Amino acid sequence: MFYIFGGNGFVGRYLANELAGQNKETTVIDLHDSLDSRIDGKVSYIKADIRNLEEMRSILFSEADTVINLAANQYHTKVPKNRHEYFFNTNTVGTKNILTAMTEKGCKKLIQFTTDMTYGKPQYLPVDIKHPQNPFGPYGESKKACEEICRDFRNTSLLSGGGINICIFRPRMISGPGRLGILVKLFKLIDMNLPVPTIGNGRNHYQMISVFDCVSAIMAAIEKGVPNKEYNLGSSESPDITTLLKSVIKTAHSHSFVIHTPGKLVKLVLKFLDNIGLTIMYPEQFMIADEEYILDISETQKDLGWNPKYNDEDMLIQAYKMYKEGNS
């Protein structure tokens, strides 16, 4: 059995359909009242809250099962004032509850999604899996704490003879059909033929990862027996931000043009607006916006035999077309 926590979500529904398409017995676990209508009807559904340990203990895990935890509070929805509690209750405590229940039932395989935001400001490039983890804010901090819990369970289980495997994926910004997030603000500027500002000189690279490449990485990890290791997920050969933006403007037949701004000043303004409750972007989104930021995916490629199929330019253009379809 494959259990997908957060299976009604963006990556989860694509993964559930992939597993069902391969005739693998799959159960989605989520907070909604029913299974997302876009998911194959062969998939089972359990309504449960990962923040509730007793609800996790009620799930009938077995030694042969594989668990994929995609459940998380993120920045793509409106975040309440108490950001620490909002992120930690689900991302950290929830993960601990899942692992506690798995360990008690003898379930030995977990694939856990965290985030590249655990790294914070790049200290060297490309950012590999051994890079120091110094997140800028509560989302990255909650995911770093989640990873620390995973490592504790790895070590505790090994000492007790349990041998639990936890494969941790750290993806860049995930893109694909069904999620636009912060890109909506960009696309509105382009549709209105307004200038499109970059934070900084626009010569830096801002890597993304396709939802389809995320799913293929999960499937590769399953095929390899869920390696007990951390892996980065990102595209390859990312163009710089100015090139990316110009490609979308050209696709849109827009009269917009890219303008470069002083990164440090813009970030100060964005931070001030966030502090007074007029948030345009969250600090974890804008603090590295003018940084050269590329994840090293070589370990993922070598260990899992995985390679990303989608590049950043195609993903951004696809996202714009999806935005237009949704607003036509």
Side-chain angles (χ1 to χ4, degrees):
M1 172 72 79
F2 292 88
Y3 288 99
I4 309 173
F5 285 91
N8 265 352
F10 180 48
V11 178
R13 37 181 209 269
Y14 285 101
L15 176 62
N17 284 332
E18 178 67 24
L19 289 166
Q22 296 189 20
N23 295 314
K24 298 185 186 297
E25 192 175 3
T26 303
T27 296
V28 160
I29 303 168
D30 215 314
L31 271 174
H32 299 280
D33 289 328
S34 60
L35 188 69
D36 190 291
S37 60
R38 292 165 287 191
I39 296 176
D40 192 307
K42 293 184 289 186
V43 175
S44 303
Y45 186 72
I46 297 173
K47 180 181 178 181
D49 187 343
I50 65 172
R51 297 169 296 184
N52 187 314
L53 178 56
E54 294 311 310
E55 289 188 21
M56 295 301 96
R57 284 175 164 153
S58 70
I59 297 168
L60 301 177
F61 297 120
S62 73
E63 184 175 338
D65 296 333
T66 298
V67 176
I68 303 100
N69 184 21
L70 303 170
N73 281 340
Q74 302 176 44
Y75 280 117
H76 64 270
T77 55
K78 186 172 177 58
V79 178
K81 289 183 179 180
N82 191 340
R83 294 175 188 174
H84 185 277
E85 180 181 351
Y86 175 73
F87 290 119
F88 272 77
N89 281 356
T90 296
N91 303 349
T92 310
V93 176
T95 299
K96 184 176 183 179
N97 289 342
I98 292 170
L99 279 164
T100 299
M102 287 177 62
T103 302
E104 290 173 355
K105 300 279 175 52
C107 186
K108 295 178 179 294
K109 294 178 181 178
L110 171 69
I111 296 173
Q112 172 70 47
F113 262 50
T114 62
T115 175
D116 68 297
M117 288 187 185
T118 62
Y119 293 125
K121 181 181 174 67
Q123 297 182 21
Y124 59 81
L125 293 169
V127 176
D128 59 27
I129 58 173
K130 296 178 181 178
H131 187 283
Q133 292 181 290
N134 299 299
F136 285 116
Y139 175 63
E141 289 165 356
S142 73
K143 287 295 194 174
K144 180 186 176 185
C146 160
E147 290 194 13
E148 290 166 353
I149 287 168
C150 287
R151 284 186 280 272
D152 287 343
F153 271 85
R154 279 175 180 166
N155 296 332
T156 302
S157 298
L158 287 169
L159 289 171
S160 62
I164 189 169
N165 276 25
I166 305 174
C167 180
I168 296 172
F169 283 118
R170 298 170 182 157
R172 283 292 279 149
M173 186 178 79
I174 303 173
S175 180
R179 177 186 284 178
L180 290 172
I182 198 170
L183 294 177
V184 170
K185 296 176 182 178
L186 165 66
F187 297 153
K188 285 182 177 179
L189 291 175
I190 291 173
D191 269 4
M192 296 170 69
N193 296 302
L194 294 173
V196 177
T198 65
I199 298 177
N201 60 28
R203 292 196 294 267
N204 59 308
H205 297 73
Y206 196 84
Q207 195 178 24
M208 295 187 288
I209 180 72
S210 165
V211 64
F212 303 112
D213 286 328
C214 288
V215 170
S216 68
I218 294 169
M219 299 304 293
I222 291 168
E223 182 68 24
K224 296 291 183 180
V226 185
N228 215 17
K229 190 172 175 180
E230 291 74 30
Y231 293 109
N232 286 331
L233 292 178
S235 60
S236 58
E237 300 180 2
S238 301
D240 63 67
I241 292 204
T242 299
T243 301
L244 270 176
L245 294 175
K246 285 182 176 179
S247 68
V248 181
I249 291 169
K250 182 178 179 181
T251 298
H253 304 292
S254 170
H255 296 296
S256 292
F257 56 91
V258 178
I259 58 171
H260 306 307
T261 64
K264 289 183 180 179
L265 176 61
V266 172
K267 287 191 286 187
L268 282 173
V269 172
L270 290 172
K271 186 175 182 179
F272 170 75
L273 292 173
D274 182 56
N275 287 339
I276 63 172
L278 299 174
T279 303
I280 297 174
M281 294 175 70
Y282 294 100
E284 286 180 275
Q285 294 173 321
F286 64 72
M287 287 299 291
I288 60 168
D290 60 344
E291 296 280 350
E292 183 73 6
Y293 197 122
I294 296 291
L295 294 185
D296 181 356
I297 60 172
S298 61
E299 288 282 309
T300 321
Q301 294 170 304
K302 176 171 66 74
D303 288 3
L304 303 183
W306 169 88
N307 284 292
K309 293 182 178 179
Y310 298 86
N311 64 54
D312 291 354
E313 190 170 353
D314 290 342
M315 280 187 270
L316 202 58
I317 289 172
Q318 181 190 45
Y320 174 76
K321 291 178 178 177
M322 179 176 60
Y323 161 79
K324 290 297 289 182
E325 289 171 2
N327 288 277
S328 60

